[in-house]
Amino acid sequence: MLHLGKVAAAFTVAALLASTAMAQTVLRSSDTHPDGYPTVEAVEYFGELVKDRTEGRYAVEVYHSAQLGEEKDTIEQVRSGVLELNRVSMAPFNGTVKESIVPALPYIFRSEEHMHKVMDGAVGDQIKAAFENTGLVVLAYYDAGARSFYNSSKPINTVEDLKGMKFRVIQSDIFVDMVAALGANATPMPYGEVYSSIETGVIDGAENNFPSYDTAKHFEVAKHFSLDEHTILPEVFVMNKAAYDQLTPEDQRIFQEAAKESVAKQRELWAAKTAESRKKVEEAGAQISTPDKQGFIDAMEPVYAKHVTDPVLIKMVEDVKAVQ
Ligand code: GTR
């Protein structure tokens, strides 16, 4: 008995020593997209860099495929600290972080390069500062390309063609008003409900980029894709502020540096995935039309008139336009 007790005690001590040596804080991160999607890979890459550079004191686990819930719910989780990290679109923040409205405005960016310059510069920093007031630290902005409309019934070549149609939009008033300004009807709903809603005819279609259209399989139920590219809205990778504030200054530097390197990685992955997805959906029968964007741009005036009234936002819109 005595002997066994000693063995057990020795085991316990050994286990304790081992766990102290490896003391590791695991940070959980959510993503609505499946494994292998550029945002999932970018956060995993961030996690590897952090693990390496903190000698294993921190590790990141990515819960992809909406395992922890739809974006709106996981945003609440990361704000309250149930989750430490989260990768989501900027749009669901439009109602809580007013500065996040600016990159969500239709046709605000002339191109993806323009968006990169803006988000990497002073306007991007201004948006980051605004997020801190809601208990979140923005670690990175990632690419989400341009969003365009797709539907199950017909090709869209002009604004007229959209009249009376019903589209799912991401949960943001800017998107609801944008669709209304085009003469169509918007239904905000979680991403995970879009496929079946199109399939059952509850909506005619939705709007998104090629990688989402592909990986969420929306192309199977909505084969008409109209490349109107109304929004070039970046993604955001955030950390709960209380969790971030607990890091030592040196660890914060490691996290920031790793996040920055993950942005470069994500941009490469994004470009490749966009081309791959476009090819795949075309081969599967998606019909891509390229409308003249001017009519769409002209129709957006009421969206700006309604949402860009605050002097801070008016100035930000001017600043964005001034970026060459
Ligand atoms: C995607 C984005 C997701 C999600 C989705 C949606 O482009 O990457 O984070 O917001 O759109 O439309 O809900």
Side-chain angles (χ1 to χ4, degrees):
M1 280 303 282
L2 188 69
H3 178 68
L4 269 182
K6 270 189 185 160
V7 171
F11 265 123
T12 318
V13 172
L16 254 178
L17 283 176
S19 72
T20 322
M22 294 176 45
Q24 187 177 69
T25 306
V26 177
L27 308 171
R28 298 188 314 151
S29 191
S30 170
D31 201 304
T32 198
H33 292 301
D35 200 14
Y37 197 90
T39 50
V40 172
E41 298 235 316
V43 175
E44 280 171 352
Y45 181 67
F46 163 84
E48 284 162 26
L49 296 179
V50 162
K51 192 171 171 189
D52 248 34
R53 294 171 188 178
T54 61
E55 271 131 20
R57 285 181 291 109
Y58 287 95
V60 173
E61 269 173 16
V62 182
Y63 291 79
H64 55 76
S65 313
Q67 291 170 72
L68 301 179
E70 295 284 355
E71 289 197 343
K72 274 223 146 192
D73 303 326
T74 62
I75 287 173
E76 285 318 307
Q77 293 170 26
V78 71
R79 283 182 69 180
S80 65
V82 171
L83 258 183
E84 294 79 24
L85 296 165
N86 202 359
R87 195 298 307 162
V88 283
S89 167
M90 188 93 83
F93 290 102
N94 292 165
T96 41
V97 182
K98 79 173 179 212
E99 288 80 353
S100 74
I101 287 176
V102 174
L105 290 166
Y107 299 107
I108 179 105
F109 297 118
R110 294 183 296 272
S111 62
E112 287 185 49
E113 293 67 42
H114 181 210
M115 183 275 282
H116 287 160
K117 281 195 185 150
V118 169
M119 300 311 287
D120 290 346
V123 171
D125 289 344
Q126 193 176 350
I127 299 171
K128 282 186 184 170
F131 266 82
E132 294 219 4
N133 300 328
T134 67
L136 294 172
V137 173
V138 174
L139 291 174
Y141 299 120
Y142 291 139
D143 279 9
R147 296 176 77 101
S148 293
F149 290 104
Y150 45 84
N151 77 91
S152 59
S153 55
K154 61 176 192 205
I156 304 294
N157 287 305
T158 64
V159 173
E160 269 303 301
D161 294 334
L162 288 165
K163 290 264 167 327
M165 292 181 81
K166 213 169 178 186
F167 289 95
R168 174 271 178 174
V169 289
I170 200 163
Q171 286 141 309
S172 153
D173 287 351
I174 311 292
F175 281 73
V176 173
D177 293 334
M178 172 188 71
V179 170
L182 293 166
N185 304 303
T187 309
M189 67 168 73
Y191 190 53
E193 290 170 23
V194 178
Y195 185 99
S196 62
S197 300
I198 299 176
E199 195 179 29
T200 55
V202 172
I203 48 175
D204 296 303
E207 44 84 51
N208 223 314
N209 49 50
F210 280 119
S212 293
Y213 179 60
D214 161 21
T215 57
K217 306 212 181 320
H218 296 171
F219 68 95
E220 291 178 0
V221 286
K223 73 169 188 176
H224 302 283
F225 192 103
S226 165
L227 211 48
D228 63 278
E229 303 186 309
H230 48 260
T231 315
I232 304 181
L233 177 66
E235 317 272 24
V236 69
F237 176 41
V238 292
M239 180 162 183
N240 173 273
K241 187 165 179 332
Y244 183 82
D245 288 345
Q246 275 171 21
L247 301 174
T248 62
E250 171 58 8
D251 285 345
Q252 288 183 353
R253 199 192 54 76
I254 291 174
F255 275 53
Q256 293 288 353
E257 202 48 43
K260 201 169 165 197
E261 289 173 40
S262 76
V263 169
K265 173 101 176 165
Q266 199 266 350
R267 285 182 186 173
E268 270 171 38
L269 293 170
W270 183 258
K273 184 71 180 175
T274 302
E276 179 199 311
S277 288
R278 181 172 179 162
K279 184 163 179 276
K280 181 178 153 196
V281 298
E282 283 191 281
E283 279 167 11
Q287 304 288 312
I288 301 174
S289 61
T290 311
D292 174 9
K293 288 186 203 165
Q294 198 53 50
F296 288 74
I297 296 171
D298 295 344
M300 293 307 154
E301 203 271 314
V303 181
Y304 280 72
K306 180 171 170 190
H307 294 281
V308 189
T309 53
D310 181 304
V312 171
L313 299 192
I314 293 174
K315 170 79 168 61
M316 285 177 81
V317 168
E318 281 167 11
D319 291 347
V320 169
K321 291 198 173 142
V323 173
Q324 286 311 312

